[in-house]
Amino acid sequence: MDLASVNSLSYEDFVEVFGNVVEKCPIVAAAVWSRRPFSSLADLEASYNDFIDTLPESGKEGILRLHPDLAGRDLQGGTLTRESREEQGKAGLDTLTTLEVSRMARLNTEYKGHFGFPFVICARMNDKVTILRQLEERLG
Ligand SMILES: NC(=O)N[C@H]1NC(=O)NC1=O
């Protein structure tokens, strides 16, 4: 889809295409549609970033809270979005041992109890070793 096509999308179609750029937050796409026409892909990306940056802390925390746990019940239950399924799969989180799943669940629960939102990391740029290391480091 070229830029002219993106800029000519109805807001319904724009949300259909770009609604999960921010995991489970189609409202961001619905809001960003108002900023068209986009002069480039970078401009579209910047529009997303600008919208999120202007949210109050509670709004940013709300976006984090809609992220599925890594190797969590959504992955185990097959209810991840396509994007998250691919991302978590690339990190090898879909082939953890039972013991590793339990350890992730315990650490995720501890993290959410401490911070009030889930541990969020770019899974496709990590693997199960670095993800577990980062999770433990952030818990201190
Ligand atoms: N909790 C968390 O980081 N989840 C997201 N990260 C990612 O790359 N894919 C996800 O599902």
Side-chain angles (χ1 to χ4, degrees):
M1 180 181 293
D2 64 20
L3 202 57
S5 301
V6 171
N7 285 324
S8 63
L9 290 173
S10 66
Y11 71 78
E12 294 95 338
D13 290 340
F14 187 87
V15 172
E16 182 66 29
V17 173
F18 296 101
N20 205 52
V21 165
V22 180
E23 181 74 6
K24 295 186 177 179
C25 290
I27 187 174
V28 180
V32 163
W33 181 79
S34 303
R35 302 178 185 215
R36 77 199 191 290
F38 305 104
S39 56
S40 64
L41 177 60
D43 183 34
L44 173 59
E45 182 181 354
S47 297
Y48 267 85
N49 293 338
D50 292 348
F51 177 80
I52 293 170
D53 288 346
T54 57
L55 289 174
E57 277 309 295
S58 60
K60 293 172 184 168
E61 290 172 349
I63 287 176
L64 293 176
R65 292 183 184 120
L66 290 175
H67 273 69
D69 284 348
L70 293 164
R73 59 182 174 196
D74 284 326
L75 175 64
Q76 308 308 326
T79 55
L80 283 177
T81 60
R82 175 178 53 81
E83 293 85 356
S84 280
R85 186 173 62 250
E86 289 172 2
E87 291 155 355
Q88 294 201 30
K90 279 186 184 148
L93 296 180
D94 53 355
T95 57
L96 298 184
T97 64
T98 305
L99 195 59
E100 289 169 330
V101 170
S102 300
R103 187 170 167 219
M104 280 293 290
R106 178 177 53 79
L107 291 170
N108 276 323
T109 299
E110 186 180 338
Y111 189 98
K112 285 187 277 190
H114 184 76
F115 292 104
F117 46 77
F119 169 66
V120 176
I121 194 170
C122 182
R124 61 181 167 78
M125 295 175 71
N126 285 278
D127 59 28
K128 66 180 183 179
V129 173
T130 57
I131 287 170
L132 271 168
R133 186 185 313 132
Q134 284 281 336
L135 179 46
E136 288 171 333
E137 284 177 6
R138 292 191 203 176
L139 278 169

